[in-house]
Amino acid sequence: MVGQEPGHRVSVGASGADVRRTGFSDRASLEKAVGWLDARAAVLPPEAIRSEDAAGRVLATPIDAATDLPPLDRAGEDGFALRSAETIGAGSYSPILLELQPAGSPLRAGAATPVAAGTPLPCGADAVLPFGMAHLDARTVEVVGAVAEGMGVERHGQQLRAGTALFGAGRALRPQDAALLATLGVGSIQVVRRPRVRLVLAGPKGPAGTAFQGDAHRPMLLPLIARDGGLVESIVLASERASTRRAVAAPGADVVLVTGRTGTGPDDEAPLAIADVGELAIHGIALRPGASAGLGAVATVSVLLLPGDPLACLCAYELLAGRLLRRLGGRDPELPHRVREAEVGRKIVSGIGFAEMCEVRLVDGRVEPVGRAEGGGLASAIRSDGFVLVPAALEGYAPGTRVVVHLYESAMVL
Amino acid sequence: MVGQEPGHRVSVGASGADVRRTGFSDRASLEKAVGWLDARAAVLPPEAIRSEDAAGRVLATPIDAATDLPPLDRAGEDGFALRSAETIGAGSYSPILLELQPAGSPLRAGAATPVAAGTPLPCGADAVLPFGMAHLDARTVEVVGAVAEGMGVERHGQQLRAGTALFGAGRALRPQDAALLATLGVGSIQVVRRPRVRLVLAGPKGPAGTAFQGDAHRPMLLPLIARDGGLVESIVLASERASTRRAVAAPGADVVLVTGRTGTGPDDEAPLAIADVGELAIHGIALRPGASAGLGAVATVSVLLLPGDPLACLCAYELLAGRLLRRLGGRDPELPHRVREAEVGRKIVSGIGFAEMCEVRLVDGRVEPVGRAEGGGLASAIRSDGFVLVPAALEGYAPGTRVVVHLYESAMVL
């Protein structure tokens, strides 16, 4: 029943059949789908980047300090570099006069020279007297307090010794990590390559005056892909089987996300297009919304079918595609949302047998479902604060149950 | 004591004096500094963008739905569109035969036509029978179950009625919000303009073989500015007073961040450069690290002095600059880090009189200080999981105290 076109593997549907006009006879569990993806999601190979671009990348190989930090003894604070022994006995009532010496030459006996924190200690100096402990005039420094040897000095290697382990492989590098690498003069680092994602918008054009479905998918998925460390390689419009097949089979991507035409309607040919050129491993997942999602592969490239309904597309992206991207990129595969644990205030209903992403809002600190009663779909979902995942084995959560809410937030911008 | 060069306002230092070679006689409290910034930080004016770029932006004017969603009655699921009255009495043992009619024309009496979820309901149909409740052959649909009128149909306006309020001003738009705007055919929206930030790297070049201080600031601050919604307008190297003055005074930015040369050392001329061309309102803040930070303005442009030491720079950015950017951009001004509340495991020591950003790590769920004992500075800070803010009035936190840890994370990438 696959139709007119040849496909070198015809394993359509979780049960292996073309589901168009018949419906899914069977669906894979979310756990099975995630397991299939995880088994394929080996961390991508490393690439070299300049250390100044480190923030947000995942380190592929460990970095040890190649030099000491600081590389030499330096002033730890602003003040007068001097010989500590020459300040013994100094006080407000017994000031000691030192000669003011300009910076840049070895310190003469009986002299002090102003230094800024972070600058090298002049040769001969062994302490830095804070400016507040001296009175300065044109040629002399009147010292009104004693300092011990080493005071105000940051010793060579005090922060870090050459050879010290700095970052392990897998470190998600922070802005301040990039600053340290620059300080140590590290020019280039090895990081996990970012997964290249092709977005194939296969959904139908709506009736006259309404939007193309892909117009909703694109602005939603691009920031999510970026959030998960993916790099969009190309965006392809492919509204029928042949163009979808070509878009999926073309080289250049690590992951292909096909949105739309995943269901059981007459024109839902995206699964067939995958089977034409590769393997459709799973079609139909016991997930709501998103039950027509599918997973497959063309050679080493993972292909995900994301349903055309925007909220179902979001759900399948969050629970399947995002996880794949995070794993490929060497990141924590778990959902990246902030979470809040709270008590259910109004019953959350979920169909047994389906893992469900239930839109919820927090009302006076308690969790309430949003959605079906308010018309459902994307328009209800924008009123939610986040979602609660209900496993397939449960029918929902009764009031009083403590649940974890994954909070929606604005995507980051760059 | 300001020196050789003319400055039309000479209010250097919190006490109004040039602090070079004398030290700060006085510092502004962090609260005072934040209050000064907040008073200047009016939300920027709106700009129009395409709705497909909405994710991550902050809405400037409310949006109401201009059309109903769906705009017409449509299939709510995949199945056969038909007249519900014609299915009355249908069951496995009493199937009813309907004629299979191709899509695209008004539904004939006694016929059914396959439809996909989201597509318009054919004229004449009043329900959608799921594919699983029928058997299909070449010309007929054998209906094995009855459906009521309206079943499987998503009514015109069910999700949303024209005129309904969708998003209020100030909404930080989510990826799915962009999808809804596209679905509704909204082309352009008014969002808060992103603050344009000039980064003036004024820090000194290190001794031979060590890095230029700005090389550490730039890769650290760029992702933080992006995180806070800022747009880097330009990056300027300015290592002495005249070039700093020019960089600060040039038009085009909403905020100027000057890094380095903020302290009391002989060459710390950044504060003087601000006073030369504008107002240096505060120099010296009771903040650790970051006590040499300063705040000023050139006409309507806020100018922040961030200390050259990278960790002090980070602290002053996080507590002052980031907040300013978030306010200008209409975002939540509070620190954007994820937080975790936990118990102090090892005493956190802080100097009284200074607000302190204490680097900490979580060890078995308890908070321990990182830092001075390990050499201090950036190299210690990379070993931390986050920071705890200790107010100026406290000397720290004793073991057992519950504190809020602001967690460091990898910056987002796009």
Side-chain angles (χ1 to χ4, degrees), chain B residues 37-49:
Chain B
L37 275 181
D38 281 359
R40 291 184 53 84
V43 175
L44 290 171
E47 64 179 355
I49 62 163

Side-chain angles (χ1 to χ4, degrees), chain A residues 78 174 226 264 336 338 384 414, chain B residues 78 174 226 264 336 338 384 414:
Chain A
D78 298 338
R174 304 168 181 169
T264 59
R338 291 178 200 232
S384 64
L414 263 202
Chain B
D78 299 338
R174 304 169 181 170
T264 58
R338 290 178 201 232
S384 63
L414 265 201

Side-chain angles (χ1 to χ4, degrees), chain B residues 163-381:
Chain B
T164 308
L166 284 182
F167 305 115
R171 166 90 166 193
L173 292 161
R174 304 169 181 170
Q176 54 267 50
D177 296 347
L180 181 64
L181 293 171
T183 300
L184 294 173
V186 176
S188 161
I189 59 172
Q190 293 284 324
V191 296
V192 178
R193 183 163 68 67
R194 294 171 64 183
R196 294 172 306 220
V197 181
R198 182 171 307 141
L199 193 54
V200 179
L201 306 172
K205 210 169 153 37
T210 64
F212 163 53
Q213 208 179 48
D215 285 343
H217 300 152
R218 182 174 39 196
M220 178 171 73
L221 294 179
L222 293 185
L224 294 173
I225 292 167
R227 179 198 71 187
D228 293 319
L231 204 57
V232 173
E233 176 254 6
S234 60
I235 302 175
V236 185
L237 308 189
S239 58
E240 28 67 36
R241 183 164 173 175
S243 54
T244 304
R245 193 164 54 204
R246 281 194 302 274
V248 167
D254 300 303
V255 173
V256 177
L257 304 181
V258 181
T259 73
R261 298 201 194 270
T262 64
T264 58
D267 298 327
D268 285 337
E269 295 189 330
L272 306 175
I274 312 304
D276 287 345
V277 291
E279 179 202 3
L280 180 66
I282 290 176
H283 183 213
I285 298 176
L287 173 66
R288 278 195 187 131
S292 68
L295 306 176
V298 176
T300 59
V301 178
S302 298
V303 183
L304 284 82
L305 295 170
L306 306 179
D309 172 80
L311 191 59
C313 182
L314 177 66
C315 176
Y317 177 87
E318 289 289 25
L319 298 185
L320 298 165
R323 179 181 177 92
L324 174 65
L325 295 186
R326 293 188 296 274
R327 285 186 75 101
L328 289 173
R331 297 168 194 276
D332 181 350
E334 298 309 319
L335 284 169
H337 306 77
R338 290 178 201 232
V339 295
R340 193 178 302 171
E341 201 184 303
E343 201 168 89
V344 173
R346 205 151 50 74
K347 187 179 178 183
I348 296 174
V349 181
S350 165
I352 205 155
F354 282 77
E356 198 154 336
M357 176 171 146
C358 295
E359 303 287 320
V360 299
R361 76 186 128 216
L362 289 156
V363 180
D364 300 330
R366 288 157 66 92
V367 182
E368 296 192 352
V370 179
R372 274 164 282 199
E374 295 166 63
L378 198 58
S380 302

Side-chain angles (χ1 to χ4, degrees), chain B residues 88-130:
Chain B
I88 292 172
S92 300
Y93 299 102
S94 55
I96 288 174
L97 283 185
L98 297 175
E99 178 201 354
L100 176 63
Q101 179 184 319
S105 50
L107 191 69
R108 290 192 293 272
T113 195
V115 290
T119 56
L121 204 64
C123 186
D126 67 3
V128 176
L129 179 83

Side-chain angles (χ1 to χ4, degrees), chain A residues 281-294:
Chain A
I282 290 175
H283 183 213
I285 298 176
L287 173 65
R288 272 194 191 131
S292 68

Side-chain angles (χ1 to χ4, degrees), chain A residues 61-154:
Chain A
T61 52
I63 298 179
D64 297 345
T67 55
D68 294 340
L69 183 68
L72 36 67
D73 292 350
R74 66 186 184 187
E77 55 186 304
D78 298 338
F80 292 104
L82 42 63
R83 288 178 174 78
S84 57
E86 295 178 352
T87 67
I88 293 172
S92 300
Y93 299 102
S94 54
I96 288 174
L97 282 186
L98 297 175
E99 177 201 357
L100 176 64
Q101 180 184 319
S105 51
L107 190 70
R108 289 192 294 273
T113 195
V115 289
T119 57
L121 205 64
C123 186
D126 67 2
V128 175
L129 179 84
F131 286 130
M133 286 171 68
H135 304 301
L136 176 68
D137 66 33
R139 302 198 163 189
T140 57
V141 178
E142 192 185 61
V143 176
V144 296
V147 281
E149 187 184 337
M151 283 282 286
V153 174
E154 195 183 17

